[in-house]
Amino acid sequence: MTRSDRSATSQPVDPVPGPGIVPAFTNPRTGRPALRTVSVVGLGSYVPPQILTNADLARMVDTSDDWITSRTGIRERRLASPNEATSDLACEAARRALSSAGLRPQDVDLIIVATITPDMPFPSTACLVQEKLGANRAAAFDVQAACSGYVYALDIASHFISSHTYETVLIIGAEKMSAFIDWTDRNTCVLFGDGAGAAVLQHRPHSHGLITTCLGANGGDARLLELPAGGSARPASPDTLSQRLHFLRMDGKETFRKAVTAMVSAGQEALARAHLTIADIRCIIPHQANHRIMSAVAERLGATPEQVFTNVERYGNTSAASVGIGLDEAVREGRIQTGDYVLLVVFGAGLTWGSALIHW
Ligand code: ACO
């Protein structure tokens, strides 16, 4: 049964609050706890203005526009300025999402930031965002699921809302990948960019919403994509610095293979749970890593190129921000209309993967 199926037949009854007692929202028909639908009520995204083109990169490392474009589809990416941290990118996307929802920062009950490029190991980037936004009522924490982070955050947020714990949750996927890229390594530096995508989630009676989310992980392949040092296993030292272990490392070929398999099966699982076929989906927003990965995923899902939203040519791989930026742009471009079904499919370090199916 899907999340919206479960709530479609259930209306919460008035709680009976008392000291220390959790309000009991019960479906009067089944006697079971009533879950609520969860709707996206606002979207926003932000990419910094500075553009780094493939031609710029060809002056920095031994590469070419032709190689990057043909292997990845990326033509340019955005770079945050030195005094702009991940929390700043996140705040700008969040302000836009709140404004599109017609809400104020003080209306937010919970902020979840998905990032692998936090401002610092602690406090969480979500707490820094809470302060910068002035969302002083909100609880705040980070989620770390690399490029899958936005869908992980969406899944977590939906449970808080459907269970009546919170009314308004702000999720943000935000990354300053440029701070963790080895700009002398042509294998990785051409792939990534900076940016942020945000969504405001609420229960809106009689509205469409999230149908299902599927999450997966395989820590057995953790070494395929990692930032080896700077944590408790290998604390920063002159040795880790000289070995350049504070930058992202990746086995690109193997990551590519695993990404296609995992994204396809996550997409298929979401469709099966919702009793939908790929033809029912108006817009598929895959994690924007590489046009060849997206084409392979679309082909194996049986989707047409017209169903697939891409912006990788302009932003590169923005990790946890990727599908958040894509969703915001797809809605603003009119690619998604009320009543459409939207499928997000993601994959990232961990390894992690996931999908989310939304009835818009
Ligand atoms: N410019 C020119 N040549 C390059 C470059 C470059 N920027 N990068 C690598 N090459 C060279 C390699 O050195 C290699 O040369 P060699 O044959 O002399 O050894 C050659 O190009 C071919 O390299 P391959 O690895 O075979 O290239 P491939 O076709 O696999 O493409 C790529 C590489 C684009 C990295 C691809 O493997 C890929 O997209 N992988 C997935 C990456 C990804 O999506 N990562 C993010 C996952 S999500 C997250 O959490 C961050």
Side-chain angles (χ1 to χ4, degrees):
M1 188 183 275
T2 67
R3 205 161 298 157
S4 60
D5 288 341
R6 282 179 293 185
S7 56
T9 54
S10 55
Q11 289 299 318
V13 295
D14 286 340
V16 189
I21 297 175
V22 177
F25 294 89
T26 322
N27 177 341
R29 194 170 60 78
T30 63
R32 293 205 180 121
L35 296 179
R36 303 190 293 181
T37 45
V38 177
S39 301
V40 178
V41 301
L43 288 170
S45 62
Y46 172 74
V47 289
Q50 192 192 338
I51 295 173
L52 185 74
T53 65
N54 291 349
D56 296 330
L57 277 164
R59 287 188 282 276
M60 296 161 59
V61 290
D62 181 14
T63 190
S64 66
D65 176 42
D66 185 49
W67 193 96
I68 301 170
T69 308
S70 62
R71 302 289 177 120
T72 71
I74 301 166
R75 295 185 182 278
E76 58 188 42
R77 67 286 295 142
R78 301 300 181 98
L79 296 187
S81 65
N83 56 5
E84 215 174 9
T86 294
S87 62
D88 299 306
L89 308 179
C91 278
E92 199 46 53
R95 284 189 194 103
R96 294 173 186 193
L98 286 167
S99 155
S100 88
L103 294 170
R104 302 163 306 156
Q106 302 92 298
D107 298 323
V108 177
D109 298 310
L110 173 66
I111 300 169
I112 306 175
V113 173
T115 188
I116 52 170
T117 55
D119 287 24
M120 57 191 88
F122 70 89
S124 70
T125 301
C127 283
L128 304 175
V129 167
Q130 187 240 34
E131 207 281 323
K132 287 179 183 180
L133 278 182
N136 47 16
R137 285 184 49 251
F141 62 85
D142 285 1
V143 165
Q144 211 271 45
C147 304
S148 308
Y150 189 88
V151 167
Y152 267 66
L154 182 59
D155 176 81
I156 296 164
S158 75
H159 291 290
F160 278 116
I161 295 169
S162 67
S163 64
H164 306 259
T165 307
Y166 292 123
E167 296 301 319
T168 305
V169 181
L170 170 64
I171 65 164
I172 314 164
E175 304 283 15
K176 185 176 176 181
M177 296 301 289
S178 60
F180 296 89
I181 295 301
D182 183 347
W183 290 103
T184 66
D185 175 14
R186 70 176 183 173
N187 291 294
T188 52
C189 76
V190 303
L191 301 175
F192 296 94
D194 302 334
V200 183
L201 307 168
Q202 284 184 335
H203 166 66
R204 291 265 170 99
H206 316 299
S207 283
H208 297 146
L210 186 62
I211 296 175
T212 192
T213 44
C214 309
L215 304 181
N218 176 13
D221 282 326
R223 301 301 301 273
L224 288 182
L225 191 49
E226 63 175 359
L227 196 151
S232 58
R234 294 189 85 170
S237 68
D239 187 40
T240 60
L241 278 176
S242 70
Q243 291 186 59
R244 306 183 78 75
L245 296 179
H246 296 271
F247 296 120
L248 177 150
R249 290 190 171 186
M250 179 176 70
D251 175 343
K253 261 197 192 324
E254 194 55 15
T255 303
F256 189 115
R257 207 175 57 76
K258 303 260 180 186
V260 173
T261 310
M263 288 165 81
V264 169
S265 79
Q268 287 169 336
E269 189 179 343
L271 290 170
R273 284 196 202 175
H275 305 289
L276 295 174
T277 70
I278 196 70
D280 296 314
I281 305 299
R282 170 68 191 266
C283 187
I284 302 165
I285 306 179
H287 169 49
Q288 306 285 310
N290 177 315
H291 81 92
R292 290 188 297 148
I293 293 179
M294 289 188 277
S295 301
V297 170
E299 194 184 313
R300 291 196 201 176
L301 283 174
T304 62
E306 294 71 38
Q307 286 174 284
V308 182
F309 179 88
T310 64
N311 59 17
V312 72
E313 62 282 359
R314 286 178 282 135
Y315 305 138
N317 180 346
T318 57
S319 184
S322 145
V323 289
I325 297 172
L327 187 58
D328 180 42
E329 290 194 342
V331 169
R332 281 192 287 117
E333 289 172 18
R335 297 271 305 263
I336 299 170
Q337 305 286 341
T338 303
D340 288 341
Y341 289 105
V342 179
L343 179 64
L344 313 181
V345 282
V346 292
F347 178 83
L351 300 175
T352 55
W353 57 87
S355 59
L357 188 48
I358 307 169
H359 192 188
W360 208 258

